[in-house]
Amino acid sequence: MDHHIADALSRPALVRLDSHTLCLRFETMKVASALEAVRYLLERGTIAQGDTLVDSSSGIYAHALALACHRYGLRCHIVASTTVDKTLRTQLEILGATVEPMPPSASLKLDQSRRVARVREILRDHPRHHWMRQYHDDVHYRGYRPIADLIREHTDCDHLSIVGGVGTGASTGALAMFLRETAPGVELVGVQPFDSVTFGSEHVHDPEIIIAGIGSSIPFGNVDHTLYDTVHWFGFDAALSGSVALLREHAIFAGLSAGAAYLAARWEQRLDPERHVVVLAPDTGHRYVDAAYSRHAEVPTPDELRPRQIAKLTEMDLPWSRMHWNRAEAPPNAVSRPIAVAS
């Protein structure tokens, strides 16, 4: 029995899609990350009950951090992206978090940069607040060890690929890192949107990009690029095609990053039919109904799509590109500089 809903939400449903494919389906994946990070920081004495934790979020991490703070008796302050909708904001406020929405921005890049700048201002004025630094602190890797153990229990890790959105690197990177402790051959396939600096796609613009959370317009310090073997980049239409297929074929209602991961996983298995694959579905599809799922009749089927195989970043193009990353270092624009708090 769980003593708090956050404990239950930190565990995914593990669903078998076929003989070689599993899906890790979360309601809110970052609960696993935030809950363990907060517990660890309390245990070390870095934070104490009653402290205020602050961070910037486009939605999923805000919910996760608010739940973790509720679980452990901490205050929570969220600098919220313009993508945080009324439903989520209402939940955050009832959970006791204070939500500071950013004004509308001309681009997601400007929105993200302004949020981080605002967090620095808050820390300058409230030095006792603790910045969780979800984009930069690898403490967020820790919560995925039990999930790696779950995967290890149910599949053949000697011939396994983990496929999922990169985001801050904490989910896919952590799973691969923990699984490789006993199975060094586990491959990691990262999924990215176009317009993201993380794996060098900022020069390809998708006018309909709304794949929140798996890419970034600013460098992230806790993405370890050398963990990734292959990277797939997706535009909106291709990701939606995968999401619709995941729902139609397996009744899993998930977000656009899960759809992109599902499409990437299908392709990886096509190249190596004996390979076992775990697909990450980090959230539900509810917030994508109006902007995405309502257009399900317009998108191509997965069988109509195939990635553009590229050898260098300048070759990528919409709607879908794939590249052997071969555990290389970060591209220049993705290198994170030291984080300084405004004085």
Side-chain angles (χ1 to χ4, degrees), residues 83 108 193-194 206-214 234-236 239-240 255-257 287-293 295:
T83 61
L108 290 177
F194 294 101
D206 181 1
E208 296 195 273
I209 181 172
I210 58 168
I211 312 176
I214 66 168
F234 286 91
F236 171 84
L240 179 55
L256 289 176
S257 66
R287 66 173 173 161
Y288 297 103
V289 170
D290 291 337
Y293 274 98
R295 298 166 55 182

Side-chain angles (χ1 to χ4, degrees), residues 25-337:
R25 196 274 193 184
F26 294 82
E27 183 172 335
T28 306
M29 182 180 70
K30 289 185 179 180
V31 174
S33 176
L35 197 63
E36 174 58 21
V38 170
R39 187 205 63 77
Y40 178 73
L41 292 170
L42 283 166
E43 182 181 82
R44 292 188 61 192
T46 305
I47 59 176
Q49 283 196 341
D51 283 355
T52 298
L53 308 187
V54 60
D55 215 336
S56 155
S57 175
S58 61
I60 294 177
Y61 186 78
H63 188 209
L65 185 59
L67 286 168
C69 288
H70 190 278
R71 169 75 170 80
Y72 287 112
L74 297 150
R75 297 185 178 91
C76 179
H77 184 89
I78 299 295
V79 178
S81 167
T82 55
T83 61
V84 173
D85 59 27
K86 181 179 179 182
T87 300
L88 177 56
R89 180 174 176 179
T90 301
Q91 287 187 71
L92 296 176
E93 290 172 346
I94 294 173
L95 283 168
T98 55
V99 182
E100 182 178 342
M102 296 303 293
S105 298
S107 68
L108 290 177
K109 180 176 182 178
L110 179 59
D111 175 64
Q112 200 165 41
S113 299
R114 288 166 110 184
R115 282 188 279 129
V116 173
R118 177 57 187 146
V119 169
R120 291 174 179 166
E121 291 175 355
I122 291 169
L123 294 171
R124 178 196 63 199
D125 297 335
H126 303 278
R128 290 183 58 85
H129 285 12
H130 181 80
W131 185 7
M132 288 299 293
R133 300 171 75 241
Q134 67 148 324
Y135 301 145
H136 301 287
D137 193 338
D138 61 9
V139 70
H140 293 93
Y141 278 51
R142 299 177 61 87
Y144 294 100
R145 181 176 285 280
I147 300 167
D149 292 339
L150 178 67
I151 294 171
R152 190 180 285 112
E153 181 182 349
H154 289 280
T155 195
D156 176 11
C157 292
D158 290 327
H159 202 51
L160 174 68
S161 292
I162 302 295
V163 186
V166 176
T168 62
S171 57
T172 48
L175 289 174
M177 184 172 67
F178 294 139
L179 288 168
R180 286 172 183 167
E181 290 175 351
T182 56
V186 168
E187 292 194 354
L188 182 56
V189 180
V191 171
Q192 281 274 276
F194 294 101
D195 281 299
S196 171
V197 303
T198 308
F199 278 88
S201 64
E202 66 270 25
H203 61 290
V204 180
H205 303 292
D206 181 1
E208 296 195 273
I209 181 172
I210 58 168
I211 312 176
I214 66 168
S216 176
S217 60
I218 61 174
F220 283 174
N222 54 2
V223 175
D224 183 349
H225 293 74
T226 66
L227 292 172
Y228 293 84
D229 297 284
T230 304
V231 179
H232 289 251
W233 294 267
F234 286 91
F236 171 84
D237 288 342
L240 179 55
S241 171
S243 297
V244 171
L246 188 59
L247 180 56
R248 179 175 289 133
E249 296 167 11
H250 302 287
I252 294 177
F253 184 43
L256 289 176
S257 66
Y262 180 56
L263 218 57
R266 286 169 56 119
W267 189 261
E268 295 302 315
Q269 276 197 313
R270 179 174 175 174
L271 297 176
D272 185 356
E274 296 306 310
R275 190 152 205 86
H276 292 264
V277 178
V278 174
V279 179
L280 268 64
D283 62 348
T284 69
H286 293 88
R287 66 173 173 161
Y288 297 103
V289 170
D290 291 337
Y293 274 98
S294 62
R295 298 166 55 182
H296 65 90
E298 303 172 17
V299 297
T301 65
D303 290 340
E304 297 176 71
L305 297 169
R306 59 187 299 126
R308 176 187 177 94
Q309 184 65 43
I310 64 173
K312 51 188 178 181
L313 296 174
T314 54
E315 296 173 351
M316 74 172 65
D317 200 3
L318 291 161
W320 178 9
S321 294
R322 176 185 184 270
M323 180 177 174
H324 295 296
W325 192 259
N326 296 325
R327 307 189 188 186
E329 299 287 342
N333 289 345
V335 177
S336 177
R337 304 304 189 267

